[in-house]
Amino acid sequence: MTEKTWAGHPRGLSTLFFTEMWERFSYYGMRAILVLAMVAGVETGGMGLDDQTATAVYGIYTAGVYLLAVPGGWIADRLLGLQRAVWYGGILIAAGHFTMALPFGPTFYLGLLLIVLGTGLLKPNVSALVGHLYPGDMGARRDAGFSIYYMGINIGGFAGPLVCGLLGERVGWHWGFGAAGVFMVLGLIQYRMTSHYLGGAGVEPQLGDAAGRRRGWIAVGSATVALLAVAFAAMAGLFVIDAVAMASAGVYVIVGAAAAFFAWVIGFGGLDADERKRVGVIAVFFVCAAVFWSGFEQAGSSFNLFAERYTDRVMFGWEMPASWLQSVNSLFIILLAPGFAALWVHLGRRNLDPSIPAKFSLGLIQMGLGFLVLYFAAQFVVQGEQVLPTWLILTYLLHTTGELCLSPVGLSAVTKLAPPRYVGQMMGTWFMGAALGNLIGGLIAGYFGDDSVAEMPSRFMTVFLTTAGFGVLLALFIGPIKKLEGRADGSATSH
């Protein structure tokens, strides 16, 4: 009997394609209106928060999504299995969106917590399931399968802000949050109805024994109860959480933890000289990733506020929702990703493919150039004028091309450079770098508020000089970094 296929790939790929498409629809749809809802006046259904607090909450939320991916993968590997982890993660995400849709202030934060927990459980494991569909020596087909899968991610990222943004800004914020939950439920329904196409891939946990699982469940249960207890205590008003202070403390905690981890692995991890050098390169990439994501994640915070307050969005007498500009990045990814992939392959055949540090450098410089564009746009804003959306669109274009240079090679570089016995932990550092960038980004966004318009150009210039400066500095050390990489450098740059 011939195995059923989907576009020439295992039939289960369609299950995961649509699951992740709807999950990303809900994630980016909600994210597009998150800061806007927090800063909107209470009389309009918003929360009436100041910019600094709202963007700090945004930073904590997006950082939490990355941080929880590490324990989410651990839970799937040792306790649930990949398929059940995706299912329960999706349920938590939907519950979080519906909780945010309730017209009660305290439930807003509980909903965010549920989404973070659910995304940490679903996001890493649905991607791992894609890999499980291609056993053995199927590298080329696996790469093609992931390309199709990532197209689903960006289709969801493109459509989510359009639907949730329109409902949130035009009907009511809670309607936008509720819509995100509805579409996550659609993803769960199709996942359940078509999960048989996944076969036995990731059904059972792969690591640990029965005793270890019992200990694991006790640990997970205890952590969950403690987390929910803190959340309900805060909702009851027993104490007040200062989002800005919490985000600031989180930065120091992540930096300290990462520094301690790298120092321990290099000093006491039993590595040889070449392995220590490669771990040092991963540490450099960790810093670069944090810098990059701190700028990239302005999209949902300071750029979103810039779109709402200072951008002329009227077309043919109708004002476009500010959140619709959040779809631009995903649209550019859909349009440009195939071209970038073909470009790297074309250059690789001629031994001209840029090295990993060169791609990181290009990504950071393009990130900085995006802020330089807004520096010029801000010159008009300080004069009391509104600017055309083309300024933000050009910024998003530069940030997207920067993302395509840096993000796809990041995880691949870690797997190539990490000592085999530390691959899992080194992968965790990549997520930590992204989380650190999100926290810093949320704090930075708080300095672009309505009360500091006069300083806006200089602050955009500062971010440009910082991010592009890191890129130029990295470019100056491409040679030494490639020597430290040794034989680990190579094919990773082409994927």
Side-chain angles (χ1 to χ4, degrees):
M1 181 176 177
T2 303
E3 180 187 0
K4 290 186 177 180
T5 62
W6 183 68
H9 290 268
R11 189 68 177 84
L13 182 62
S14 67
T15 298
L16 303 177
F17 176 97
F18 288 108
T19 300
E20 184 65 343
M21 184 187 78
W22 292 122
E23 186 274 329
R24 290 291 91 180
F25 183 109
S26 70
Y27 177 83
Y28 285 107
M30 185 278 280
R31 194 193 78 157
I33 59 174
L34 180 58
V35 169
L36 300 180
M38 285 192 284
V39 301
V42 176
E43 67 280 0
T44 62
M47 300 184 67
L49 300 180
D50 61 83
D51 289 0
Q52 196 170 27
T53 300
T55 55
V57 170
Y58 173 87
I60 294 169
Y61 163 68
T62 53
V65 167
Y66 283 102
L67 284 177
L68 267 292
V70 178
W74 184 90
I75 289 172
D77 288 341
R78 297 178 179 273
L79 303 179
L80 285 175
L82 298 173
Q83 290 194 30
R84 282 190 291 271
V86 170
W87 172 250
Y88 291 122
I91 291 173
L92 284 173
I93 291 169
H97 287 301
F98 290 134
T99 301
M100 291 180 70
L102 297 174
F104 307 109
T107 58
F108 179 87
Y109 297 106
L110 177 61
L112 284 178
L113 176 60
L114 290 172
I115 295 170
V116 167
L117 294 173
T119 306
L121 201 54
L122 182 148
K123 182 64 176 167
N125 297 314
V126 70
S127 299
L129 273 173
V130 176
H132 276 260
L133 296 177
Y134 300 89
D137 187 18
M138 300 177 66
R141 287 192 69 200
R142 184 184 293 111
D143 288 348
F146 269 103
S147 296
I148 295 172
Y149 169 75
Y150 285 124
M151 192 63 69
I153 290 175
N154 287 289
I155 291 172
F158 171 75
L162 299 181
V163 175
C164 298
L166 182 64
L167 288 172
E169 292 191 58
R170 296 292 188 261
V171 182
W173 303 114
H174 298 290
W175 286 90
F177 296 140
V182 169
F183 285 100
M184 185 67 249
V185 169
L186 289 179
L188 284 168
I189 292 172
Q190 77 82 32
Y191 178 76
R192 177 59 75 184
M193 291 179 64
T194 63
S195 60
H196 58 281
Y197 291 125
L198 299 173
V203 171
E204 298 297 331
Q206 300 298 305
L207 300 174
D209 52 19
R213 291 190 183 104
R214 283 195 297 271
R215 292 192 297 270
W217 279 119
I218 292 172
V220 170
S222 300
T224 302
V225 169
L227 192 60
L228 290 176
V230 172
F232 282 114
M235 289 170 58
L238 298 181
F239 63 92
V240 177
I241 297 177
D242 185 329
V244 177
M246 183 176 177
S248 300
V251 169
Y252 289 108
V253 169
I254 293 177
V255 169
F261 172 73
F262 282 117
W264 180 84
V265 171
I266 292 173
F268 307 99
L271 307 181
D272 61 33
D274 287 338
E275 288 175 326
R276 284 195 291 270
K277 291 175 183 178
R278 291 170 191 163
V279 170
V281 173
I282 294 176
V284 172
F285 290 163
F286 169 89
V287 175
C288 293
V291 173
F292 181 86
W293 295 117
S294 68
F296 188 87
E297 279 300 326
Q298 298 301 310
S301 51
S302 65
F303 293 177
N304 215 3
L305 295 174
F306 189 93
E308 182 192 45
R309 295 168 179 173
Y310 312 119
T311 302
D312 181 4
R313 294 171 279 110
V314 177
M315 298 181 297
F316 307 108
W318 178 77
E319 187 176 46
M320 176 183 69
S323 53
W324 278 20
L325 286 166
Q326 295 294 294
S327 293
V328 172
N329 171 249
S330 292
L331 178 61
F332 279 141
I333 290 287
I334 293 170
L335 295 175
L336 299 177
F340 267 74
L343 174 64
W344 301 142
V345 172
H346 176 77
L347 292 174
R349 288 171 178 165
R350 289 158 177 77
N351 293 321
L352 297 174
D353 188 19
S355 64
I356 296 172
K359 289 179 179 178
F360 268 68
S361 174
L362 287 171
L364 286 165
I365 290 172
Q366 289 171 94
M367 168 61 59
L369 290 174
F371 283 92
L372 183 62
V373 169
L374 288 184
Y375 162 79
F376 290 110
Q379 302 290 341
F380 297 100
V381 172
V382 296
Q383 297 173 27
E385 301 178 33
Q386 286 197 318
V387 298
L388 292 174
T390 46
W391 292 97
L392 275 171
I393 291 172
L394 180 55
T395 292
Y396 286 134
L397 173 61
L398 288 165
H399 285 190
T400 300
T401 54
E403 178 188 5
L404 289 170
C405 287
L406 182 144
S407 184
V409 302
L411 287 172
S412 180
V414 172
T415 61
K416 292 287 183 181
L417 295 170
R421 57 193 178 280
Y422 289 108
V423 170
Q425 295 174 68
M426 290 294 170
M427 291 286 278
T429 65
W430 178 260
F431 289 112
M432 287 178 64
L436 176 60
N438 278 266
L439 281 176
I440 296 173
L443 293 170
I444 291 173
Y447 293 100
F448 290 94
D450 251 350
D451 57 347
S452 57
V453 174
E455 289 80 29
M456 187 180 295
S458 63
R459 288 174 178 171
F460 278 132
M461 177 58 73
T462 298
V463 180
F464 158 67
L465 293 173
T466 302
T467 52
F470 262 94
V472 171
L473 183 65
L474 183 63
L476 295 175
F477 288 93
I478 287 176
I481 291 174
K482 288 177 66 176
K483 290 181 180 179
L484 291 176
E485 287 177 336
R487 294 180 182 178
D489 192 18
S491 60
T493 61
S494 299
H495 297 285

